[in-house]
Amino acid sequence: MKYYSTNQTAPQAGLRQAVTEGLAPDKGLYMPERIRRLPDEFFERIDRLGFHEIAKTVASAFFGDDIPQAELDRIVDATLCFDTPVVHVGGEIWSLELFHGPTAAFKDVGARFMARMLGHFTHGEAGRITVLVATSGDTGSAVANGFLGVEGIDVVVLYPKGKVSDLQEKQFTTLGQNITAIEIDGTFDDCQRLVKHAFMDSDLKTRLTLTSANSINVARFLPQSFYYFHAYAQMKRAGKGDGLVFAVPSGNFGNLTAGLFAMRMGLPVRRFIAANNRNDVFLEYLRTGVYTPRPSVETVANAMDVGDPSNFARILDLYANDVEAIRRDISAFRYDDGQITQCIGRVHSSTGYTLDPHGACGYLALEEGLHDGEHGVLLETAHPAKFGHTVEAAIGGEVPLPRSLEGFVGKQKQSVPLGPDYDGFRKWLTGRG
Ligand SMILES: *Cc1c(COP(=O)(O)O)cnc(C)c1O
């Protein structure tokens, strides 16, 4: 399979190049040249298949030309070390729980898959690959845990000192093995600048093979389609497979775009709803037909505080810039912090289900946007305990940590303190082992 750039000016790339580069040389996002429709027979028996079997079929449609099936199966098995169950919340609303992985958020799926695919492509090569990632909290933990113990790859996580929560910090500073955390005496923007500088340092690149684990990477983004199929299978088994609507709490729109890919592959989903906080540039685009990015604003659903969603380019490409066609498949709603916290409290007291602030946007969007005869599934993108402060205030009670996160609490932090200047970072990078 070839991958083209959404900017159309870079040459097409093979899978290996697309995965190791992340972004195309013309700064566009890679798209697979074809999206294969899965056979009717697959959808007829999908409710009798397990998650791994479903994911292997989907993975094969994307990556089967480039990776032997047995190897691909191994990658899928290792990626999906946890389930993504669909749980009934109330009325016609269900929750697709994507938080049962090592860092209790959906990014575990893409990060684990990408790590193993990169490991496959670099296996047997003499040199090691260094993955650089700047984080304001959650991306670093998903990437670090996703790559933990993968042969031939070192991960360096840069994070701003004192600006991530204690628990977030523990999730990437206590792992050891091939993961190193660097605590930068500066801001998140400093961390990002250092990483960008390293990628542009041609002398450094003759000494080290650097790559990013950015969320726009095809190997992080495409596997997110697996759980849409698995969700459909579970809904079909429950006799609720018709008129399916997914509400997707969206920031960079990678998760929602993976759902659109699933739809193109034949998944019988009626439509999608983009659920947003006050960062609503996509909603404005649907309303006006004009895309106007703007600086993000802070909200309680902070993983969606994005003012210029990176995967917007993929959605435009998928629909050939036809806003009417996009409106047929996707609608959007937005909610402010007051509505989000009120919803968490209300749903908890009426159903007993605890939503996180992102999932709450999905719940509100289904409440507002679901039509008669439709079944709504919200993507619960993180465990509510990850946003304990907000959620506990909203429900007036405690939210216990899931076991995966509890394991980090007592561990000893280990990090390398560095200043925000590039020279110090470069010296450290070249002076290691
Ligand atoms: C990253 C993230 C999102 C946003 O996902 P996108 O694919 O960027 O739209 C939503 N919720 C949580 C908890 C996240 O970590």
Side-chain angles (χ1 to χ4, degrees):
M1 180 90 81
K2 289 269 185 263
Y3 292 81
Y4 64 88
S5 162
T6 52
N7 283 347
Q8 305 283 357
T9 56
Q12 293 201 342
L15 178 62
R16 182 200 180 101
Q17 189 191 346
V19 172
T20 42
E21 275 180 3
L23 205 63
D26 62 1
K27 307 267 188 270
L29 277 65
Y30 280 118
M31 294 281 279
E33 61 175 344
R34 268 194 324 274
I35 301 175
R36 293 194 173 97
R37 260 192 103 77
L38 296 174
D40 292 345
E41 172 265 338
F42 170 69
F43 294 106
E44 277 156 26
R45 63 189 182 91
I46 194 169
D47 51 332
R48 280 169 275 147
L49 301 179
F51 190 15
H52 286 220
E53 231 175 317
I54 291 170
K56 284 169 188 173
T57 304
V58 178
S60 172
F62 286 121
F63 308 121
D65 302 344
D66 301 294
I67 299 183
Q69 190 62 45
E71 174 69 1
L72 201 48
D73 287 354
R74 201 188 56 75
I75 292 173
V76 169
D77 284 334
T79 298
L80 303 178
C81 60
F82 53 94
D83 194 19
T84 60
V86 171
V87 174
H88 185 229
V89 180
E92 290 303 330
I93 300 181
W94 283 260
S95 168
L96 169 57
E97 295 186 343
L98 302 175
F99 56 69
H100 295 283
T103 72
F106 81 91
K107 290 184 179 72
D108 283 331
V109 175
R112 293 179 66 78
F113 191 91
M114 179 186 168
R116 280 150 190 87
M117 182 172 275
L118 202 56
H120 161 76
F121 281 129
T122 57
H123 182 76
E125 286 187 359
R128 298 181 69 80
I129 283 197
T130 303
V131 172
L132 293 183
V133 56
T135 188
S136 56
D138 278 344
T139 300
S141 57
V143 170
N145 284 273
F147 280 78
L148 183 64
V150 175
E151 225 24 72
I153 302 178
D154 296 313
V155 175
V156 177
V157 180
L158 286 81
Y159 71 102
K161 178 178 175 175
K163 296 194 175 63
V164 306
S165 79
D166 219 36
L167 183 61
Q168 281 176 328
E169 187 177 30
K170 290 264 170 77
Q171 288 174 69
F172 49 77
T173 59
T174 63
L175 295 166
Q177 297 186 53
N178 58 331
I179 314 295
T180 307
I182 301 200
E183 185 172 18
I184 299 292
D185 193 359
T187 61
F188 170 62
D189 290 338
D190 289 323
C191 299
Q192 216 159 17
R193 182 177 44 78
L194 291 174
V195 168
K196 278 192 184 149
H197 202 146
F199 282 119
M200 290 184 312
D201 184 339
S202 43
D203 177 62
L204 180 69
K205 288 210 285 199
T206 62
R207 306 212 227 162
L208 292 174
T209 308
L210 296 180
T211 190
S212 87
N214 202 298
S215 66
I216 48 90
N217 197 297
V218 288
R220 260 192 76 181
F221 143 75
L222 288 172
Q224 295 173 168
S225 61
F226 297 165
Y227 42 71
Y228 286 93
F229 290 89
H230 183 40
Y232 169 70
Q234 294 173 74
M235 291 299 282
K236 187 176 180 210
R237 207 174 295 146
K240 310 280 182 188
D242 292 335
L244 207 56
V245 177
F246 284 105
V248 189
S250 294
N252 273 315
F253 281 74
N255 220 355
L256 193 142
T257 307
L260 298 174
F261 272 69
M263 193 184 203
R264 289 284 168 100
M265 295 174 86
L267 184 71
V269 46
R270 186 168 293 172
R271 58 195 183 90
F272 293 86
I273 304 180
N276 285 129
N277 57 30
R278 287 192 297 129
N279 297 279
D280 61 352
V281 294
F282 185 77
L283 185 151
E284 284 301 312
Y285 165 74
L286 289 183
R287 209 171 59 83
T288 62
V290 182
Y291 179 64
T292 315
R294 49 166 207 261
S296 63
V297 295
E298 259 182 59
T299 77
V300 293
N302 59 28
M304 310 199 299
D305 295 351
V306 178
D308 184 7
S310 51
N311 284 287
F312 184 68
R314 282 196 168 114
I315 298 179
L316 280 185
D317 190 89
L318 210 50
Y319 288 88
N321 294 299
D322 180 351
V323 66
E324 270 310 312
I326 295 176
R327 284 180 184 132
R328 277 195 290 277
D329 286 351
I330 319 172
S331 56
F333 294 98
R334 50 152 271 170
Y335 302 99
D336 63 27
D337 283 1
Q339 291 169 302
I340 293 169
T341 49
Q342 197 270 347
C343 170
I344 295 170
R346 176 167 57 85
V347 171
H348 182 262
S349 57
S350 65
T351 70
Y353 194 82
T354 310
L355 291 159
D356 96 298
H358 307 81
C361 293
Y363 184 92
L364 286 163
L366 288 173
E367 234 179 13
E368 189 171 350
L370 216 52
H371 304 150
D372 281 347
E374 290 180 336
H375 300 110
V377 177
L378 66 96
L379 273 61
E380 183 45 296
T381 48
H383 191 284
K386 292 198 92 165
F387 304 88
H389 188 70
T390 301
V391 176
E392 292 184 348
I395 67 172
E398 262 185 74
V399 184
L401 283 180
R403 215 174 316 142
S404 57
L405 295 187
E406 215 169 63
F408 289 106
V409 174
K411 294 219 179 116
Q412 192 59 41
K413 158 184 163 182
Q414 279 190 328
S415 59
V416 180
L418 285 180
D421 60 294
Y422 181 64
D423 283 347
F425 176 52
R426 188 180 199 282
K427 207 172 274 166
W428 180 83
L429 265 180
T430 51
R432 281 177 311 153

